[in-house]
């Protein structure tokens, strides 16, 4: 006989959109790193995309590689300041920022694994209560798409950027301009339900 035990985590899991940062949220710094908030430039259409996901009641999570910290080009405090300013900008506009920010920095004490290892997505799912099978990743590099696939997400969106699409790294949807993100996400979320 099955015994009835109280559910220690009664909140239902929620779907999320995982955003890569450089090249998706903000203009790509090319082969280098965004070392300072002064040169952090939001991509056209990002605010619309963020607002659309928030409006749908989905979680919004940032998953980023910032190896400039591990290379000594910037400090963890520099990165935290950039992400603090990012959150402040979003809170000023939407009342909420990203529900979680996960950054692989390449330092010896970094708790995270490098993309395309799905560890950062799994960490977010555990901490925020995310239904991965209904969630999506949007990124501009092979490692973002491969990470989304490895994490068992519903699908991935490729924002075409400076990097060519590698074999096996084809996304479910491909868009050519960041201004198309909101419409693409709204289409996906309307099919997926709440
Ligand atoms: Mg990127």
């Amino acid at each position: 006989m099955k015994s009835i035990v109280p559910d220690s985590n009664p909140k239902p899991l929620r779907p999320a959109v995982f955003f890569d940062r450089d090249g998706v949220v903000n203009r790509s710094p090319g082969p280098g790193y965004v070392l300072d908030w002064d040169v952090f430039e939001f991509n056209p259409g990002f605010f619309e995309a963020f607002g659309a996901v928030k409006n749908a009641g989905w979680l919004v999570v940032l998953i980023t590689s910032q190896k400039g910290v591990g290379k000594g080009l910037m400090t963890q405090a520099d990165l935290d300041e950039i992400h603090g300013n990012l959150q402040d900008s979003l809170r000023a506009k939407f009342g909420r920022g990203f529900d979680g920010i996960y950054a692989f920095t390449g330092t010896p004490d970094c708790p995270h694994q490098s993309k395309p290892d799905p560890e950062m997505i799994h960490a977010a799912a555990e901490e925020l209560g995310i239904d991965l099978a209904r969630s999506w990743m949007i990124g501009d590099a092979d490692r973002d798409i491969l990470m989304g696939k490895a994490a068992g997400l519903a699908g991935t969106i490729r924002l075409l950027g400076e990097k060519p699409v590698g074999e096996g790294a084809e996304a479910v949807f491909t868009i050519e301009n960041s201004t198309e993100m909101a419409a693409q996400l709204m289409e996906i979320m309307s099919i997926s339900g709440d």
Side-chain angles (χ1 to χ4, degrees), residues 10 15 23 33 54 56 68 77 94 101 107 114 138 150 160 162 164 169 178 186:
Y33 300 92
K54 276 276 167 226
F94 299 98
I101 294 180
T107 58
S114 181
I138 179 163
L160 286 177
E162 297 149 354
S178 59
M186 281 192 276

Side-chain angles (χ1 to χ4, degrees), residues 20-23 140 144 163:
D20 169 47
R21 202 194 80 179
D22 297 336
D140 69 336
D144 301 315
K163 298 150 193 150

